[in-house]
């Protein structure tokens, strides 16, 4: 037997109905906020992620599916979608349209991580990006849209973790403060090999350390906080952050400031945020996002501000409120149509056609070995209604309509069948 690749998985029915419904709601909500879909390739030039997500991040450093293609180019299965969107924005000169671009995507991403609950090597993201506007109201509206979406799925009690990671104006001072913190022997001793490399290459990355001893230090009172540097070194970012906080309060978006949130990607400037959900274990972030005002220009495009988020769809579906899940799964229940003999199949095909034309979903079971077997198959599909068609019914212009839940049956004129089914569906 050939099994699926480690860290990948098949999504089977009826679970796929929940996925489809989630995606349909995302499309509906995002359209309400003026967003349009973008679809970028799964395969990108490796250089794109090195330059955007950042060389010293875990993603680029050890989690990418990178290989040399037959033409000798280094290509990578996208580990995230923001870089691809920014590349497309530059490549198609979207800036020239002189309008903000509000784009969303739904699709698979790949990271070579150790698989565990809520963490896969192939996973799916639902994301949105706004390219152009740099103001705090844009950040606020993006979060309003996000919560609108999450609430329509039935989530309650979720809250955003919010921080500002500043800009070039604060980054060097913050990096120095982190280095100074670890220059004390005691703190330095806590660092493992990975974190020493981080301190060397990109000290901000220490804040995503998974080492418990380092995590404890980072969460301590004495650890430097970017937000403390903003007011003195970067008043514009400080004002942006305070304005965002005001907008979120006014819009009643539940949020909590978290001075230690930096996120595991290098392109962020100013606003960063995450939403976590209980019940996911260690992998509890259902989404993350932030502002990236330098990404487009770093990729060779015109100076363009940007902000976005990506929801981990696997995790989202993993904690989907039960009512939404059941409604999605129960939404489609085709009527099972069972021709009782081979000689009844042609007539059943025609009947199925006319019912479908009337908008009734029909699951035709052509290989039933008699009525009992046909009904057993119908029950196993989860159907509520079955229609049996045999010689006697054909001759009489009727069918037998079975209510599988109530275990009742009646003879119905074929002409009245569509109405009878609709009344019961
Ligand atoms: P990220 O935090 O790396 O951000 O990923 C966003 C979400 O994807 C995570 O919160 C998580 O739910 C999900 N995710 C990440 N890795 C895995 C995995 N191995 N298995 C399952 N789910 C996973 C980004 O990707 C940014 N591009 C978000 C963004 C958009 N920032 C600005 N615009």
């Amino acid at each position: 037997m050939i099994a699926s690749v480690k860290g990948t998985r098949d999504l089977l029915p009826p679970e796929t109905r929940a996925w489809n419904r989630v995606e349909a709601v995302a499309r509906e909500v995002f359209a309400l906020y003026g967003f349009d879909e973008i679809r970028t390739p799964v395969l990108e030039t490796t250089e794109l992620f090195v330059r955007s997500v950042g060389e010293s991040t875990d993603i680029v450093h050890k989690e990418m599916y990178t290989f040399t293609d037959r033409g000798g180019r280094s290509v990578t299965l996208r580990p995230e979608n923001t870089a691809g969107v920014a590349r497309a924005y530059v490549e198609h000169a979207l800036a020239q349209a002189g309008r903000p671009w509000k784009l969303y995507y739904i699709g698979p991403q790949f990271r070579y991580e150790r698989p565990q609950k809520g963490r896969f090597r192939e996973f799916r993201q639902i994301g949105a990006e706004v390219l152009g506007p740099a103001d705090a109201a844009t950040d606020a509206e993006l979060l309003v849209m996000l919560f609108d979406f999450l609430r329509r799925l039935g989530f309650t009690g979720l809250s955003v973790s919010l921080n500002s990671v500043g800009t070039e104006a604060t980054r060097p001072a913050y990096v120095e403060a982190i280095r100074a913190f670890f220059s004390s022997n005691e703190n330095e001793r806590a660092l493992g090999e990975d974190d020493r490399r981080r301190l060397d290459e990109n000290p901000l990355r220490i804040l995503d350390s998974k080492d418990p001893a380092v995590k404890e230090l980072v969460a301590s009172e004495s650890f430097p906080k970017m937000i403390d540097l903003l007011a003195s070194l970067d008043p514009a970012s400080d004002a942006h952050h305070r304005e965002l906080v005001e907008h979120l309060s006014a819009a009643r978006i539940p949020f909590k400031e978290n001075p230690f949130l930096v996120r595991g990607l290098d392109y962020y400037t100013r606003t960063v945020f995450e939403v976590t959900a209980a019940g996911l274990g260690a992998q509890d972030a259902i989404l993350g996002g932030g502002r990236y005002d330098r990404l487009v220009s770093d990729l060779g495009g015109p100076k363009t501000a940007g902000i976005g988020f990506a929801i981990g769809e696997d995790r989202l579906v993993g904690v989907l409120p039960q009512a939404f899940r059941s409604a999605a799964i129960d939404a489609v229940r085709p009527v099972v149509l069972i021709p009782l003999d081979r000689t009844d199949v042609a007539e059943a095909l025609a009947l199925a056609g006319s019912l479908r034309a009337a908008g009734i979903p029909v699951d035709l079971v052509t290989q039933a070995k008699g009525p009992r077997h046909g009904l057993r198959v119908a029950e196993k599909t989860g159907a509520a209604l079955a229609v049996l068609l045999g010689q006697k019914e054909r001759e009489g212009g009727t069918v037998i309509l079975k209510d599988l839940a109530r275990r009742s049956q009646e003879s119905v004129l074929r002409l009245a069948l569509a109405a009878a089914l609709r009344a019961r569906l």
Side-chain angles (χ1 to χ4, degrees):
M1 188 196 73
I2 300 174
S4 57
V5 171
K6 184 175 179 188
T8 72
R9 59 191 184 137
D10 303 306
L11 304 174
L12 303 174
E15 191 67 3
T16 41
R17 293 186 188 171
W19 283 73
N20 280 331
R21 193 66 207 125
V22 164
E23 290 169 15
V25 173
R27 291 175 194 282
E28 278 161 34
V29 173
F30 297 170
L32 281 175
Y33 288 78
F35 282 68
D36 261 312
E37 185 174 11
I38 182 168
R39 300 191 191 195
T40 64
V42 166
L43 206 56
E44 296 272 6
T45 300
T46 302
E47 183 66 15
L48 173 65
F49 302 111
V50 175
R51 273 177 44 194
S52 56
V53 174
E55 183 119 52
S56 62
T57 58
D58 278 356
I59 296 177
V60 171
H61 195 72
K62 50 190 183 193
E63 294 170 0
M64 293 207 304
Y65 278 91
T66 296
F67 60 96
T68 309
D69 74 6
R70 288 170 195 274
R73 304 168 198 90
S74 178
V75 293
T76 293
L77 294 180
R78 63 182 183 201
E80 61 94 73
N81 220 148
T82 309
V85 170
R87 179 204 44 72
Y89 181 87
V90 176
E91 188 165 336
H92 303 286
L94 296 186
Q96 281 177 15
R99 50 163 281 201
W101 287 89
K102 301 182 180 180
L103 303 166
Y104 75 85
Y105 47 82
I106 300 175
Q109 319 292 333
F110 300 84
R111 294 183 195 177
Y112 196 82
E113 293 190 83
R114 194 142 44 83
Q116 60 181 82
K117 189 179 178 207
R119 196 209 267 160
F120 309 94
R121 289 183 174 171
E122 182 195 34
F123 60 99
R124 295 123 198 112
Q125 284 185 343
I126 299 178
E129 315 285 347
V130 182
L131 288 144
D135 58 327
T138 297
D139 305 21
E141 213 204 9
L142 191 74
L143 286 165
V144 167
M145 177 172 88
L146 188 56
F147 269 73
D148 193 347
F149 171 60
L150 294 171
R151 283 174 180 147
R152 285 174 202 235
L153 302 183
F155 284 101
T156 52
L158 294 178
S159 157
V160 192
S161 248
L162 184 69
N163 193 23
S164 175
V165 292
T167 59
E168 318 81 80
T170 44
R171 204 62 58 84
Y174 191 51
V175 161
E176 261 335 292
I178 296 175
R179 287 219 170 97
F181 177 83
F182 284 106
S183 68
S184 97
N185 286 337
E186 203 187 327
N187 294 343
E188 210 256 331
R189 267 199 298 275
L191 297 177
E193 196 190 315
D194 256 9
D195 287 320
R196 273 171 217 277
R197 174 180 61 80
R198 290 187 169 112
L199 190 64
D200 216 37
E201 293 173 1
N202 187 351
L204 226 63
R205 293 275 73 90
I206 293 250
L207 277 81
D208 359 290
S209 173
K210 286 162 189 130
D211 182 335
V214 178
K215 278 172 110 164
E216 196 178 314
L217 280 177
V218 164
S220 67
E221 242 346 276
S222 54
F223 192 82
K225 298 173 188 62
M226 172 68 91
I227 212 95
D228 295 337
L229 297 177
L230 282 187
S232 56
L233 296 177
D234 188 355
S237 291
D238 190 47
H240 182 100
H241 186 70
R242 279 187 287 120
E243 191 188 331
L244 172 57
V245 162
E246 271 170 34
H247 284 312
L248 292 180
S249 307
R252 297 181 189 284
I253 299 298
F255 71 93
K256 218 166 144 180
E257 300 215 46
N258 174 1
F260 303 113
L261 182 69
V262 291
R263 313 243 323 110
L265 304 95
D266 277 353
Y267 49 61
Y268 291 116
T269 51
R270 295 190 169 172
T271 309
V272 289
F273 55 87
E274 243 169 44
V275 172
T276 55
L280 274 173
Q283 303 302 317
D284 61 354
I286 53 170
L287 67 94
R291 182 161 275 292
Y292 46 87
D293 293 343
R294 294 195 44 156
L295 177 58
V296 170
S297 55
D298 282 350
L299 293 175
K303 195 171 177 304
T304 307
I307 183 167
F309 64 77
I311 303 168
E313 196 178 357
D314 302 73
R315 293 184 191 171
L316 184 78
V317 172
V319 291
L320 202 56
Q322 194 50 45
F324 185 93
R325 177 191 300 273
S326 319
I329 289 176
D330 293 342
V332 225
R333 295 180 93 179
V335 173
V336 174
L337 175 57
I338 307 163
L340 295 182
D341 187 83
R342 278 182 51 190
T343 53
D344 303 315
V345 169
E347 187 93 16
L349 277 167
L351 178 58
S354 65
L355 291 175
R356 289 172 188 142
I360 295 167
V362 178
D363 181 0
L364 183 63
V365 176
T366 52
Q367 304 256 303
K369 299 182 198 87
R372 283 164 64 93
H373 174 246
L375 287 172
R376 238 180 298 130
V377 173
E379 267 169 10
K380 284 183 180 160
T381 68
L385 299 170
V387 172
L388 283 75
L389 180 70
Q391 191 191 355
K392 197 171 133 225
E393 288 73 34
R394 265 196 294 130
E395 286 166 5
T398 60
V399 292
I400 297 166
L401 174 54
K402 284 236 176 209
D403 189 318
L404 297 171
R406 293 208 189 90
R407 306 204 160 269
S408 61
Q409 74 170 57
E410 62 190 294
S411 173
V412 176
L413 277 174
R414 277 180 55 177
L415 286 172
L417 180 60
L421 290 173
R422 215 176 279 116
R424 287 172 175 79
L425 276 175

